[in-house]
Amino acid sequence: MPGSISRMVELVTWYCGTANLGYDQHNRWDFPPYGDAVTPGECDCSSLVYHCAVLAGFALPTSGTRYTGTMRRDFTAAGFKWVQTSSTDWKPGDILYKDGHTAIWTGKYIAEAYGDEHGGAWGGRTGDQGQETRLSPKRGGWLGYFRYIDQSDRRRHKTVQEQYIYHAEKRDGGWVIIYISDYFNAVDTKAKGLLDYYGNPYAEKTLYYPDEFEFDEPPYCIIQPRGTSDLLTIQPYSLEKDCCRFWVWNVQTTLRRRFLIPHFSVDAIVAGKLKANDEAAE
């Protein structure tokens, strides 16, 4: 069952506006049960966001290292899209992000864990001594946000993408090979979506397979740049039943700054075994 943005907003609004929840990075997973406004608890900004998203049904890690530095990996894998922008034109449930801090936009307030009663990260009294977790007015200064992509958005994305599929071959045993070309030509030169990958600027992309090709298991995918720039490298990192996610980055710069990746084209070959009774295009 997919996660619920409205439920996540309901949860974070309650934890920041009603619950006796304070701020402490050393005890950041001490959440009282939802509805218990008496028992004090503790969190920090990222544990608050992770906790509410998990309770709302999103497929995020519930153990191991989880903080602002892992959010891009975890939330994009859970169906969220990273949007890098200084605009505050947010939708309810957008997860706001900047280096070292994160929050959730409820549609009216920024719900966030901000600091203990002394303005520090730990060592204060347990529970909220006033504005440690809070509902704040809208303000700028964010690097961007994570926005959940629902199925209707995915459908529109696929419809646009399918026009670039120029050939599909049906093979014995239910296998199909799909050839795709030019879909990612002309990357947005305003650098929306560009991230930093181990010191190199990169774009994170998702390639959705057309609806008529339903695979029994994640297919094999080859993606390669061509034609316009020898500075680019492409690497798939997630193969799923309906999409392949991959990175595109400039490997010849070590500058830790945002960088406009040049326009480029790609060729992709997707091969996989279709579900029984499916028919591939000849």
Side-chain angles (χ1 to χ4, degrees), residues 24-242:
D24 193 306
Q25 289 185 356
H26 284 175
N27 195 26
R28 56 196 294 259
W29 297 104
D30 182 22
F31 289 90
Y34 177 70
D36 180 356
V38 176
T39 303
E42 302 286 350
C43 69
D44 66 3
C45 65
S46 57
S47 69
L48 173 69
V49 170
Y50 270 93
H51 182 72
C52 292
V54 168
L55 288 186
F58 292 103
L60 293 161
T62 56
S63 62
T65 301
R66 290 159 290 160
Y67 70 111
T68 53
T70 60
M71 288 182 64
R72 286 175 173 169
R73 176 197 68 196
D74 293 341
F75 278 85
T76 54
F80 288 77
K81 178 184 178 182
W82 167 246
V83 180
Q84 186 165 310
T85 178
S86 60
S87 170
T88 58
D89 185 20
W90 306 318
K91 293 182 179 180
D94 284 350
I95 298 173
L96 313 183
Y97 175 86
K98 61 182 178 180
D99 292 340
H101 190 49
T102 187
I104 298 175
W105 174 244
T106 69
K108 187 175 181 181
Y109 300 107
I110 295 173
E112 60 187 339
Y114 203 74
D116 70 15
E117 67 268 30
H118 304 299
W122 57 79
R125 292 174 57 192
T126 302
D128 191 2
Q129 315 308 315
Q131 299 295 299
E132 296 183 53
T133 51
R134 66 191 191 184
L135 299 172
S136 306
K138 179 181 279 191
R139 67 179 187 275
W142 302 91
L143 182 60
Y145 56 82
F146 297 95
R147 175 170 293 170
Y148 184 64
I149 306 301
D150 63 21
Q151 290 303 311
S152 62
D153 289 332
R154 287 185 177 221
R155 173 73 63 177
R156 286 191 295 272
H157 187 111
K158 287 181 180 181
T159 300
V160 172
Q161 183 171 276
E162 284 170 5
Q163 65 184 292
Y164 296 95
I165 296 173
Y166 65 89
H167 185 58
E169 297 177 5
K170 188 177 179 181
R171 300 292 180 91
D172 293 338
W175 281 79
V176 64
I177 297 178
I178 309 166
Y179 299 88
I180 305 172
S181 181
D182 284 335
Y183 176 60
F184 291 110
N185 194 28
V187 172
D188 185 352
T189 55
K190 294 182 180 179
K192 292 182 179 178
L194 297 191
L195 309 176
D196 187 74
Y197 180 74
Y198 296 124
N200 297 309
Y202 77 98
E204 185 177 65
K205 298 293 185 182
T206 301
L207 175 67
Y208 289 102
Y209 315 133
D211 289 337
E212 65 264 30
F213 302 110
E214 295 187 40
F215 297 102
D216 265 336
E217 58 187 37
Y220 181 72
C221 187
I222 300 172
I223 301 177
Q224 59 186 6
R226 65 178 177 86
T228 58
S229 177
D230 60 359
L231 302 179
L232 300 176
T233 297
I234 293 179
Q235 176 182 323
Y237 73 91
S238 174
L239 289 175
E240 302 177 22
K241 289 186 177 180
D242 65 341

Side-chain angles (χ1 to χ4, degrees), residues 245-263:
R245 295 186 173 93
F246 60 97
W247 292 311
V248 184
W249 72 89
N250 182 318
V251 298
Q252 294 192 9
T253 178
T254 58
L255 299 177
R256 299 191 68 86
R257 62 182 176 84
R258 294 179 193 87
F259 185 72
L260 300 182
I261 293 179
H263 291 191

